[in-house]
Amino acid sequence: MQTVTWYIKRIQMMSLSEITWRIISLSAAWVERIRVQFNWVSKAEFVKGYQSSSDFNPGFTVFTGQLSAYNTEWKAPLLAKAEMVMANKLSYFDLHNKHLETPINWHKDHSANIYANTGHILDVNYRDFKVNGDCKLVWEPNRHHQMVVLARAYQVTGDIQYAQAAVAQMTHWLDQNPYGKGMNWRSPLELAIRLINWVWTIDLIKESGLFVGDFKARLLESVFLHCRDVSSKFSQGTSANNHLVGEAAGVYIAASYFSMLRDAATWKDTSKQILEREMVAQTFDDGCTKEHAFSYQFFVLQFYLVTGLTGKWSDDDFSDSYWKTLKSLSQFVVRIAEGGEHYPMLGDQDDGYVLDLGDHVHDINALTDVMGHFYDDPLFASPQTKSSESSFWLFNNRQAKINRGVVVDLALNSIAFEDAGYYLLQAGKVSDNNQASILMDVAELGYTAIAAHGHADALSCVVRINQHDLFVDTGTYDYFSFPEWRNHFRKTQAHNTLEVDGLDQSVMTGPFMWESHAQSTCIEWSPSKSGGKIVAAHDGYQRLPSPVTHQRDIELDITQQQIVITDYVKATAQHDIAIYFHLSEVCQDIRLDQGSCYITLGDNEVVISLSEQVKATLVQGVPSDDRQTPSLGWLSRGYHQKVPITTLVLSADINGNSEFVTSIAWK
């Protein structure tokens, strides 16, 4: 449970209209609780002339392709995964082929072995790990991504056992999850994602003849309750982030597909208006989402993509502005990723995705391949881009890829995302052994007053040399299971920036709320063909009794194969300073010797020369039985997944203005 102080501060961050909405919503929830208790739940009604026993004629078809075009290389992994799903074994987060019991226990955190409350949703505190487990571990199997895996396997093989397994699991879910009860009715976003996966599953298996009778009637009833529930609870105010996008997407897609439901047209129109509005409201002009959490950029991009295609397929296309913004969102992702093997993990990351079409949500190749069907842009025309399974399911026999010329091996170019506050200082080519890419964070903390998914990472930088990560953002790791680790990965010291007096630049108030937000400013941006320079500062430590300003200058010169990071601390009193550089998991042979840190990175030898006034320490993550005790030296590239790395810590005591120069050279 949250403290009384937390609730007071949370309310202070809300507008009067949001407070009013929450009071009305809570009142409506109590009324609905009474309806559930006495079984007065609304029943599905259909458009005139339609009966639940009528032939099923959906509003669109998700796949119209030729299976002869299916790449045989995709088949074995798909069928292997489908076999695991039929055996009730799923892989998600840190769980690999985890058996979810027979039949599946839909109300369990199968990692912590905790059973969630199955009472009315008002009695389910999804944040209470001890009582309900990690809600994300409960919700993930209930998003029903695995049903689409079975449905794809049925399409590819024609083997009805896959369709039967999907129907059996969905029927059991309906049995075990009555409306309004348990964790799986607790979050509208979860309902919305489940709706999208139901649409794809039903459409891919409808030729099997299994979507009939009692199963069909029950699913239509549940779809109605899902749409009714989500559309009555669309997120507002400080909660109107990716949740609102996902909620509207789920309702739009379900209402478009199950168009025989009486209220479908209204749900469809309302959700479409929300998506058109929020796509603009939640996206900077340069293509970055305003949550400042790059993983969520992939997440909402999937929602927008699948929803936009649904509009095309159901003769209800979205506006030109919608498709223009989708292009910007995609371009941003590809650009920030082009300098390395991995996209930078700024902000929160929880591995959320919408549909399993064979490619990981963070697969840049799949993204460029998909977007190449819409936009004639060199970013989506890399000669290394391979045809993806996602494109097959979305476009085969429907929409051809746009023809372009061959893109040659080009040097990286710097780019400033001034609206969002991110600066890519980069140049060079891998073939010349002089490529470097530096992403500097000069952005605001996060979206809305609570900045729910932001991290205290002002002026942090991600550095990549010849496509290999040198300095990495360390990720997120957890939301609910391990609160100390949740705090650790959001702290300033978990990022490649400077810390004052052991304090964070911004002040946490809860696991998804910040009380004080550091404000960053770009002072100089001077890119050049060989690199250039960026200068920025933030005011996060102005709140101290003896205020401090941190300014960071970064200069890149690929002709010298050198990066120089200069940290200026403007102060009038004594302070303890620490600068953190988190070395990626591919860094090898790391050692300190006579004021320098030596690293092997791929085929390059990297030397980091340090200021004389700092004390340098290498901190390595050490696996421990105590999973609640956080420490430096860890990298998390996935939810509940972390690997040990080495963190270079530079510490010093200062008394007044100080300057620290860190020079990086490679050969």
Side-chain angles (χ1 to χ4, degrees):
M1 294 290 291
Q2 304 294 344
T3 65
V4 173
T5 301
W6 181 89
Y7 281 104
I8 293 173
K9 290 180 178 179
R10 183 68 177 87
I11 292 171
Q12 289 174 338
M13 294 182 179
M14 299 179 192
S15 65
L16 180 59
S17 61
E18 181 178 354
I19 294 172
T20 303
W21 166 70
R22 290 184 181 276
I23 293 172
I24 294 173
S25 297
L26 183 59
S27 301
W30 277 100
V31 171
E32 193 70 7
R33 178 180 186 147
I34 295 173
R35 293 167 65 90
V36 170
Q37 182 177 352
F38 290 97
N39 198 27
W40 296 337
V41 178
S42 299
K43 300 296 182 182
E45 295 184 27
F46 300 95
V47 296
K48 187 176 180 180
Y50 189 90
Q51 304 292 328
S52 60
S53 58
S54 300
D55 290 340
F56 182 64
N57 294 305
F60 64 93
T61 299
V62 302
F63 176 68
T64 60
Q66 299 296 320
L67 290 167
S68 58
Y70 188 78
N71 190 328
T72 55
E73 293 181 4
W74 303 329
K75 186 173 182 179
L78 170 60
L79 298 188
K81 193 170 185 177
E83 292 293 330
M84 288 294 103
V85 175
M86 288 200 298
N88 297 341
K89 295 180 179 180
L90 300 186
S91 298
Y92 52 99
F93 307 141
D94 61 329
L95 303 180
H96 180 67
N97 289 336
K98 177 69 175 181
H99 187 248
L100 305 189
E101 302 179 12
T102 302
I104 291 177
N105 190 323
W106 301 104
H107 305 285
K108 185 178 179 181
D109 174 346
H110 290 272
S111 177
N113 199 33
I114 297 175
Y115 296 85
N117 186 343
T118 56
H120 189 271
I121 57 174
L122 287 176
D123 298 327
V124 179
N125 180 1
Y126 69 91
R127 294 177 184 267
D128 193 334
F129 172 77
K130 292 182 179 178
V131 173
N132 295 307
D134 189 321
C135 60
K136 283 188 58 61
L137 271 295
V138 178
W139 285 334
E140 192 68 16
N142 290 278
R143 290 183 169 186
H144 288 183
H145 299 303
Q146 69 272 21
M147 308 301 181
V148 178
V149 173
L150 292 171
R152 286 165 43 223
Y154 166 72
Q155 277 286 325
V156 170
T157 64
D159 191 337
I160 199 169
Q161 68 168 330
Y162 296 114
Q164 290 171 331
V167 170
Q169 287 195 14
M170 293 173 78
T171 300
H172 183 251
W173 189 92
L174 294 172
D175 292 340
Q176 298 298 310
N177 291 272
Y179 168 71
K181 294 184 178 181
M183 183 80 82
N184 298 320
W185 286 95
R186 183 65 178 80
S187 168
L189 177 62
E190 300 306 312
L191 276 64
I193 296 173
R194 189 157 54 241
L195 280 171
I196 297 171
N197 283 276
W198 281 1
V199 166
W200 274 74
T201 301
I202 294 304
D203 204 61
L204 289 174
I205 69 169
K206 67 179 185 291
E207 295 173 0
S208 69
L210 296 176
F211 191 54
V212 293
D214 183 62
F215 171 61
K216 173 187 169 186
R218 292 184 67 194
L219 191 79
L220 285 173
E221 195 71 39
S222 192
V223 168
F224 163 76
L225 291 170
H226 274 67
C227 288
R228 175 180 173 272
D229 195 66
V230 177
S231 61
S232 69
K233 298 176 180 176
F234 283 135
S235 297
Q236 294 188 29
T238 53
S239 297
N241 50 17
N242 69 84
H243 281 240
L244 179 55
V245 173
E247 291 158 7
V251 171
Y252 180 83
I253 292 169
S256 299
Y257 187 75
F258 297 103
S259 54
M260 67 289 303
L261 291 170
R262 187 195 65 182
D263 298 320
T266 300
W267 292 333
K268 183 177 177 180
D269 289 344
T270 300
S271 54
K272 184 178 183 181
Q273 291 174 23
I274 290 172
L275 287 161
E276 290 273 13
R277 181 190 72 224
E278 292 303 315
M279 192 184 211
V280 175
Q282 296 192 35
T283 308
F284 290 107
D285 289 343
D286 53 29
C288 179
T289 61
K290 293 183 180 179
E291 286 198 90
H292 296 284
F294 288 0
S295 176
Y296 282 89
Q297 177 117 3
F298 289 92
F299 192 37
V300 296
L301 201 157
Q302 271 202 327
F303 280 124
Y304 292 135
L305 169 66
V306 180
T307 306
L309 286 172
T310 296
K312 287 181 178 293
W313 298 339
S314 57
D315 296 323
D316 184 38
D317 202 355
F318 282 71
S319 67
D320 290 342
S321 174
Y322 185 96
W323 291 104
K324 181 181 178 181
T325 305
L326 183 69
K327 180 180 181 181
S328 296
L329 283 160
S330 307
Q331 289 171 324
F332 180 86
V333 170
V334 175
R335 282 168 171 157
I336 64 164
E338 67 181 349
E341 297 172 296
H342 306 279
Y343 76 97
M345 299 182 295
L346 275 65
D348 270 348
Q349 171 167 305
D350 74 349
D351 299 353
Y353 65 101
V354 181
L355 281 169
D356 184 343
L357 299 181
D359 301 295
H360 194 279
V361 64
H362 299 150
D363 188 327
I364 301 298
N365 175 83
L367 175 63
T368 56
D369 182 40
V370 166
M371 291 304 158
H373 287 77
F374 293 116
Y375 309 112
D376 186 6
D377 188 299
L379 281 173
F380 308 135
S382 168
Q384 286 77 39
T385 300
K386 299 178 181 178
S387 180
S388 66
E389 189 174 355
S390 295
S391 286
F392 170 79
W393 294 109
L394 294 172
F395 303 113
N396 182 251
N397 204 35
R398 211 168 210 160
Q399 187 170 335
K401 206 167 182 182
I402 298 172
N403 294 322
R404 318 176 170 78
V406 177
V407 178
V408 298
D409 179 21
L410 299 175
L412 293 182
N413 292 309
S414 295
I415 182 168
F417 301 98
E418 294 183 13
D419 293 332
Y422 299 104
Y423 294 81
L424 265 174
L425 189 64
Q426 54 185 18
K429 296 193 293 185
V430 174
S431 57
D432 293 337
N433 192 39
N434 69 352
Q435 187 181 91
S437 176
I438 306 153
L439 177 64
M440 188 171 180
D441 185 343
V442 195
E444 60 190 0
L445 182 63
Y447 190 50
T448 77
I450 63 174
H453 293 296
H455 287 192
D457 54 3
L459 309 193
S460 180
C461 59
V462 173
V463 177
R464 297 164 287 186
I465 294 176
N466 291 321
Q467 293 290 301
H468 296 295
D469 290 347
L470 178 63
F471 298 161
V472 291
D473 187 291
T474 58
T476 300
Y477 182 62
D478 179 68
Y479 281 171
F480 302 104
S481 298
F482 311 109
E484 296 303 321
W485 279 104
R486 169 63 176 151
N487 290 342
H488 167 76
F489 278 100
R490 295 193 298 157
K491 292 176 71 65
T492 295
Q493 66 178 224
H495 301 87
N496 302 305
T497 189
L498 181 145
E499 176 192 69
V500 178
D501 295 337
L503 300 173
D504 294 323
Q505 306 154 335
S506 298
V507 180
M508 298 180 199
T509 305
F512 295 92
M513 188 165 70
W514 295 84
E515 180 178 356
S516 172
H517 300 196
Q519 301 294 324
S520 301
T521 304
C522 180
I523 299 170
E524 179 184 347
W525 169 245
S526 304
S528 67
K529 290 184 178 180
S530 61
K533 181 178 182 180
I534 179 173
V535 179
H538 76 82
D539 65 359
Y541 293 117
Q542 286 294 305
R543 71 180 192 273
L544 301 183
S546 174
V548 173
T549 297
H550 173 211
Q551 177 181 308
R552 169 167 280 184
D553 300 7
I554 301 181
E555 295 185 72
L556 168 64
D557 185 351
I558 61 168
T559 63
Q560 301 295 319
Q561 296 187 174
Q562 185 178 59
I563 301 165
V564 178
I565 301 173
T566 305
D567 289 297
Y568 297 96
V569 181
K570 300 177 182 179
T572 58
Q574 186 172 355
H575 294 279
D576 295 326
I577 301 299
I579 305 171
Y580 301 91
F581 294 115
H582 301 275
L583 307 178
S584 81
E585 70 273 45
V586 297
C587 292
Q588 303 291 323
D589 306 322
I590 305 167
R591 62 186 177 87
L592 288 172
D593 186 19
Q594 296 183 349
S596 295
C597 181
Y598 297 84
I599 301 166
T600 299
L601 183 65
D603 295 329
N604 294 112
E605 294 299 319
V606 178
V607 180
I608 305 176
S609 302
L610 312 173
S611 292
E612 293 183 359
Q613 67 267 45
V614 301
K615 176 184 177 182
T617 308
L618 296 176
V619 180
Q620 295 176 314
V622 178
S624 169
D625 292 334
D626 184 3
R627 298 182 69 188
Q628 292 288 1
T629 304
S631 66
L632 295 171
W634 289 96
L635 169 68
S636 174
R637 292 200 183 274
Y639 196 77
H640 278 196
Q641 302 171 58
K642 57 183 171 65
V643 296
I645 58 171
T646 299
T647 299
L648 173 61
V649 183
L650 311 178
S651 55
D653 296 328
I654 67 167
N655 193 354
N657 294 340
S658 300
E659 175 183 324
F660 304 94
V661 180
T662 306
S663 178
I664 304 163
W666 69 95
K667 61 180 180 179

